[in-house]
Amino acid sequence: SVEVTLCEDTDGDGLGNPGSETTDCVDGGRNVTNGCNLPENNIYLNSDGSVVYNSSDLIAGFQLAVDGATINSASGGDAGAAGFVVSPGGSTVLGFSFTGATFGPGCGVLTNLSLNGGDASSLSALVFSSANGLPFVFEYYSPISDSDLVADCSDEYPNCSSNIID
């Protein structure tokens, strides 16, 4: 089991309402062997520091934060195989290619993190960019039994399922 912060998703867009945070203990086996058994555009942090993913698009860059720990180093995975520079700083890691390389679509290990201090509970502040430089939405996978709760608590427009302002 792992303790996660969840939020209500009143408009069903997959993003939780800020201010509705609750902490819950969920059972997920804590390890997902590879990202292929994750839903599309989901990412998960295993207890060994491997970050697994399942992407519907080419990945040209990423940034993420580890909740509850700092990152000593990041290496390997599909980002390493694609020649990405994967740079950790504090609890944040940034991955990109100077040559414009991409990887995906598909699933596997994004990168392997060596973590220090604390108890890493999840990943947050997820930013992924496609080959054309546009952002696309990734979610942190949480085996939540209550479909009204989500792990991403960043809904700027909690009453608008399209999240678009005219």
Side-chain angles (χ1 to χ4, degrees), residues 119-164:
D119 182 25
S121 59
S122 64
L123 302 173
S124 61
L126 305 175
V127 178
F128 281 76
S129 63
S130 64
N132 58 8
L134 297 175
F136 62 101
V137 176
F138 250 78
E139 295 181 26
Y140 184 74
Y141 175 74
S142 181
I144 303 167
S145 59
D146 187 342
S147 62
D148 292 338
L149 298 176
V150 295
D152 185 341
C153 301
S154 65
D155 197 347
E156 293 182 43
Y157 311 103
N159 296 319
C160 182
S161 61
S162 65
N163 286 321
I164 296 172

Side-chain angles (χ1 to χ4, degrees), residues 30-95:
R30 189 60 176 125
N31 286 310
V32 176
T33 56
N34 64 44
C36 297
N37 47 359
L38 294 174
E40 277 192 347
N41 296 344
N42 269 250
I43 194 166
Y44 189 75
L45 174 65
N46 284 316
S47 60
D48 66 357
S50 62
V51 178
V52 294
Y53 74 98
N54 187 349
S55 177
S56 64
D57 203 345
L58 288 170
I59 297 173
F62 62 90
Q63 178 178 319
L64 51 92
V66 176
D67 298 331
T70 56
I71 305 167
N72 289 330
S73 65
S75 63
D78 292 344
F84 273 43
V85 173
V86 182
S87 178
S91 63
T92 302
V93 65
L94 177 66

